[in-house]
Amino acid sequence: MKTVAVIPVRMNSCRLPGKVMMPICGKPLLRYLLDRLERCSILDDLVVATADHPENDQIQEFCNNRGTPCFRGPEMDVLDRLLRALRWRNAETGVLVFGDCPLIDPAIVTLLVEYFQSNTGFDFVGNDLTTTSPPGMEVEVFSVDVLSESASRCADAVMREHGTLHIRTHPEIYKLHNLKAPPHWRRPDLSLEVDTMEDVTVIKRIIHQFRGSIDFTLDEIIDFMDKNPEIGMLNRDIQRRWKPYRDE
């Protein structure tokens, strides 16, 4: 089964517009994410899914220049955009990695995909139904057929804006599994996502620590953050939009 990672990004993000192309140490955040995902051998392909508004032309140009497939679709109907991007790449299994997770560890992607492949009774396997990993390390794996079925059922525009939310909130329809982080990754107190400038400062400190390397691990990040606890305090109190939809 063809397994394809899809990364939804757009310039007009609500809290920090343009964050995906924000340069850190000479490279946009999106490049860090893509560089790390490309080290994940369990993926057959990946695709950036951006919105069709002209302001996202620079995302398209960036992808074109680096040879990364880029699909453009509705800005607010993220569910439709994800589904069409995955169909464009002939995916049978979709792997959702969020655009605000530039330091995603390929080992987490591999862990989730392998679990999904080995447990064929599930429609959806993620590590974000309950927060056990550091936020910013979220991965969701699902059947594209199930995503398509979800799109046909879901007419709520707000829910469609959140992509897989219809699947995640209907366990009576879909067979869901939350894969908890192993003990060495069980650090929900560390925020490694990018929603605000405080988050950018944290990510910048981490990237600068490992400058010259692209494949530093989550274990190394955790070790660095524990040795420098003041960094984690910078964004600890940021309110996150995902909290109403997730157990903690």
Side-chain angles (χ1 to χ4, degrees):
M1 297 184 70
K2 187 174 182 181
T3 301
V4 179
V6 58
I7 305 99
V9 293
R10 62 190 178 105
M11 294 299 293
N12 190 28
S13 57
C14 297
R15 302 181 70 175
L16 189 59
K19 64 184 180 183
V20 68
M21 296 302 293
M22 189 173 293
I24 293 183
C25 296
K27 297 193 295 185
L29 282 174
L30 180 58
R31 179 166 176 184
Y32 288 99
L33 192 160
L34 294 175
D35 284 350
R36 290 170 73 81
L37 277 181
E38 287 176 345
R39 283 158 171 74
C40 192
S41 60
I42 203 165
L43 299 174
D44 298 309
D45 196 3
L46 60 83
V47 57
V48 170
T50 193
D52 48 16
H53 288 192
E55 63 192 2
N56 298 296
D57 288 353
Q58 62 180 292
I59 295 175
Q60 173 89 63
E61 182 179 2
F62 169 78
C63 290
N64 290 348
N65 288 339
R66 116 184 259 288
T68 301
C70 182
F71 178 87
R72 301 185 71 164
E75 179 163 23
M76 304 310 293
D77 190 349
V78 178
L79 175 53
D80 181 72
R81 188 172 6 131
L82 293 175
L83 178 59
R84 291 168 59 194
L86 288 166
R87 282 176 167 168
W88 178 52
R89 304 308 295 175
N90 298 313
E92 296 166 277
T93 298
V95 181
L96 177 58
V97 179
F98 299 93
D100 53 9
C101 301
L103 301 184
I104 192 73
D105 191 325
I108 292 181
V109 179
T110 298
L111 180 68
L112 270 290
V113 174
E114 286 181 343
Y115 192 92
F116 182 82
Q117 292 175 342
S118 300
N119 296 270
T120 56
F122 292 118
D123 298 315
F124 174 103
V125 172
N127 62 354
D128 59 354
L129 299 177
T130 301
T131 304
T132 58
S133 299
M137 291 289 157
E138 289 86 355
V139 179
E140 299 177 358
V141 188
F142 46 84
S143 160
V144 175
D145 286 343
V146 167
L147 189 69
S148 177
E149 197 268 350
S150 170
S152 68
R153 283 178 180 267
C154 181
D156 185 299
V158 174
M159 191 163 285
R160 293 181 71 92
E161 182 183 352
H162 291 273
T164 60
L165 184 59
H166 181 264
I167 295 175
R168 289 183 275 129
T169 55
H170 287 82
E172 77 283 4
I173 300 174
Y174 306 106
K175 295 178 181 178
L176 313 177
H177 181 73
N178 185 81
L179 193 61
K180 292 183 179 180
H184 60 291
W185 287 342
R186 199 164 295 175
R187 294 296 302 275
D189 57 302
L190 298 177
S191 293
L192 303 175
E193 59 196 311
V194 179
D195 285 329
T196 69
M197 284 306 301
E198 291 87 349
D199 297 326
V200 172
T201 300
V202 171
I203 297 300
K204 186 179 296 185
R205 292 285 296 273
I206 295 170
I207 289 174
H208 188 265
Q209 168 66 18
F210 298 103
R211 59 192 179 279
S213 171
I214 193 58
D215 53 3
F216 49 91
T217 66
L218 177 56
D219 299 276
E220 291 175 303
I221 294 172
I222 291 172
D223 182 63
F224 170 66
M225 297 283 278
D226 284 345
K227 290 177 179 176
N228 299 273
E230 74 282 359
I231 299 175
M233 295 300 296
L234 294 172
N235 63 352
R236 185 158 295 177
D237 296 326
I238 300 297
Q239 294 299 309
R240 305 297 180 179
R241 291 181 65 198
W242 50 258
K243 286 196 172 185
Y245 306 109
R246 192 187 304 180
D247 294 330
E248 295 185 79

